[in-house]
Amino acid sequence: MSQAQVSVQVNEPVEQVYSPAADFWRRLRKNKLAMVSLVFLLALTMVAVFAPYVAPYDPYLSDMPKALQGPSSEHLLGNDELGRDILSRIIYGARISLRVGLIAVGIALSAGMVLGSTAGYYGGRLDNIIMRLMDIMLAFPSILLAIALMAVLGRGVENAIIAIGIVSIPEYARIVRGSVLSVKENEYVQAACAIGNNDWQIIFRHILPNVMAPVIVRATLGISTAILETSALGFLGLGVVPPYAEWGTMLGSGRGYMFNAPHLVFFPGIAITLTVMAFNLLGDGLRDALDPRLRR
Amino acid sequence: MLKYIVKRLLLLIPVLFGISLFVFLVLHLFTADPAAMMLGQHATAEQVAALREELGFNKPLYVQFGIFLSQIVQGDFGRSLMTRAPVTDELLTRFPATVELAVAAMLIATVVGVTIGVISAVKQYSIFDYLSMVGALLGVSMPIFWLGLMLIILFSVTLGWLPVSGRIAVGMEPTAITHFYLLDSLLTGNWEAFKSALSHLILPAVALASYSMAIIARMTRSTMLEVIRQDYIRTARSKGLAESVVVFKHALRNALIPVTTVIGLQMGSLLGGAVLTETVFSWPGIGSFIVNAILAGDFPVVQGGVIMVATIFVVVNLIVDILYAYLDPRIKYS
């Protein structure tokens, strides 16, 4: 009798039950590229936050005798056209790129969620009006729209955030609307409605939490787009106002010297590429971990 | 099919109206005083007032929009403040340059992207697959203007193989027939001009193609991987067909349907990217013209240019949709 019991216990597979969050984390942790990217981005954030302590030099301090000097043991990434330390400027530049990327996506995400869930939940004429407006915004290549907005808003970090935030709204509105449309047919939404919740309670408590997975993935990838767009605005001379160190602006002003001092354009570009790549890899990793069915 | 095309063409009208209204509102609502913005800081109050009068900025907004709309329907976008020439003429002269660049980039992106995607899928987990997916990741992560600068440093400055900027060597312009230099030089049998135009086109086209190429390669690889695992492919193999027939005739043709959509969607990023690429390579197209107009505060050019690019984008998307409906018989034209 007791033997039989033992054998039953041995044969039964040990099934460990994870909470959804633990399950997500377990899957994400297995993705080495995503984890490396996460660590890189956390490190970059720390460097950006503590820039005054990390940067070897003052990023605005001009040292004309050293202008256009290549990398040396003193200045690891060399000096720019005004003799400023490029490494320090890249470190300070991380502050702007991350700030613009995160806040712009935050703006686009909030506006897109409100518009998308309103359109998806209420449907009908409201849906039509909102989505046609989004279609019109999508009729512009986003960088062109951002450029045009910067032209009327004027240069500056805040305006870059607004411009990039606005042009990304339609994407999020579309994703949220699509997900809301499919989620709102669920029985638990009908139940929430039946027990007398009002529309906003239903949308915020019962629908939105269930459409977050694709939105989070899109937002992570969206940060990389926002960083690329920020640098493009800076490169075109429409971004932050000098002397602020911003990667794209550094590229734009270094461009005139690139024939004899290519390091002026090389290193800021590497910084942009690595950061964007990290957000892309993390976004892919999140997608795979949040919804294995989306895996390609 | 015809009904579908007509319906889509009719739907274009409200979209184009919306685009015009949107651009108009953005430019007029966000700028406190467009006339002052155009003239810059050194203008006197009288000058600003005169320009405001000239451009009708002192009329009510809806009247201004009405006038603006009736003008653009006739193809009149006003005059450029930089050159004093009609904006429409200025844009149309630069239009072929942008189209030439965009088409070249699209060709490179499609041909190279699909090829890489197919080889990667067929030889999954090989060195080639690994390297090309790293390349694709770089392609979507690099700013294209930076890639452009790096290409210039490598191929123009260090190796000296290709020119740094411009569309053709000065004085080499072929007799204008289509205004596309490559085509015109071929049509007139002007080989020197053809070589010059081609050598000027390569770097900007490659830089502009990089992002779309990466996206297309990834998409082709993943759809090919899905298709290759299907039963009918196994059947094709088991009945003894050559691997190349299986890959190209059976697998690729089905994998291409989603890839076509992606290629169509890439036209938008290509037009946006052209703005940056043209600036890097001093390519005399619409994109670099708009950027210069913005930096110079040339309001009518910005307005007309943005509307024109958006119109091109919408029309290209429409053509892609129609082609797509034609390629995939499962799509309903409703």
Side-chain angles (χ1 to χ4, degrees), chain A residues 33 132-133 135-145 147-153 162 166 224-225 228 230-233 235-238 247-248 251-252 255 258-263 265-270 272-274 276-278 280-281 284 295-296, chain B residues 14-15 17-20 22-23 26-28 30-31 37 134 137-138 140-146 149-150 152-153 157 164 211 218-219 222-223 226 268-269 271-273 275-276 279-282 290-291 294-295 299 302 305-307 309-311 313-314 317:
Chain A
L33 283 174
R132 288 304 80 74
L133 183 67
D135 283 349
I136 286 168
M137 287 178 71
L138 283 170
F140 300 90
S142 61
I143 184 67
L144 184 71
L145 195 54
I147 290 172
L149 284 172
M150 286 308 280
V152 290
L153 293 172
I162 295 172
I166 290 179
S224 66
T225 317
L228 278 179
T230 315
S231 68
L233 291 178
F235 176 74
L236 293 174
L238 293 167
W247 297 338
L251 261 169
R255 192 182 154 201
M258 69 174 189
F259 297 119
N260 32 26
H263 66 280
V265 294
F266 184 70
F267 293 119
I270 295 279
I272 301 170
T273 307
L274 284 178
V276 170
M277 200 192 294
N280 279 335
L281 287 171
D284 287 350
R295 188 171 228 148
R296 286 210 169 263
Chain B
V15 173
F17 175 81
I19 289 173
S20 317
F22 187 80
V23 171
V26 164
L27 290 181
H28 286 260
F30 280 120
T31 35
M37 190 189 88
V134 172
L137 179 64
L138 271 174
V140 294
S141 306
M142 262 188 297
I144 52 175
F145 50 91
W146 183 65
L149 295 175
M150 292 298 115
I152 292 176
I153 290 178
V157 181
V164 174
Y211 183 84
R218 278 179 163 191
M219 189 70 197
S222 65
T223 46
E226 248 165 59
S269 71
L271 282 171
V275 175
L276 297 164
T279 309
V280 171
F281 290 93
S282 312
I290 295 178
V291 170
I294 285 176
L295 295 174
F299 202 76
V302 178
V306 172
I307 292 178
V309 174
T311 307
F313 184 33
V314 173
N317 278 340

Side-chain angles (χ1 to χ4, degrees), chain A residues 48-204:
Chain A
V49 170
F50 296 105
Y53 306 99
V54 183
Y57 296 90
D58 178 348
Y60 309 116
L61 187 70
S62 162
D63 187 0
M64 280 318 276
K66 286 186 178 157
L68 301 181
Q69 247 177 35
S72 63
S73 57
E74 237 181 295
H75 297 273
L76 289 177
L77 303 183
N79 301 74
D80 72 359
E81 71 275 16
L82 296 174
R84 296 172 296 194
D85 180 55
I86 291 180
L87 177 62
S88 306
R89 289 181 68 73
I90 287 182
I91 289 173
Y92 272 80
R95 291 183 146 189
I96 294 179
S97 291
L98 290 179
R99 208 172 104 208
V100 177
L102 292 172
I103 304 179
V105 168
I107 291 175
L109 194 63
S110 325
M113 289 226 288
V114 171
L115 290 170
S117 51
T118 311
Y121 186 78
Y122 291 104
R125 185 174 290 176
L126 199 57
D127 180 24
N128 230 330
I129 293 173
I130 293 176
M131 293 326 285
R132 288 304 80 74
L133 183 67
M134 296 296 109
D135 283 349
I136 286 168
M137 287 178 71
L138 283 170
F140 300 90
S142 61
I143 184 67
L144 184 71
L145 195 54
I147 290 172
L149 284 172
M150 286 308 280
V152 290
L153 293 172
R155 302 177 65 166
V157 182
E158 280 73 28
N159 290 343
I161 292 175
I162 295 172
I164 294 170
I166 290 179
V167 303
S168 333
I169 293 173
E171 251 182 283
Y172 297 100
R174 276 194 159 184
I175 296 175
V176 172
R177 174 181 176 269
S179 313
V180 168
L181 277 180
S182 66
V183 168
K184 81 168 180 185
E185 299 305 328
N186 281 324
E187 276 164 7
Y188 65 82
V189 175
Q190 291 171 14
C193 188
I195 60 171
N197 281 300
N198 66 34
D199 288 347
W200 285 106
Q201 281 172 325
I202 297 175
I203 291 175
F204 279 104

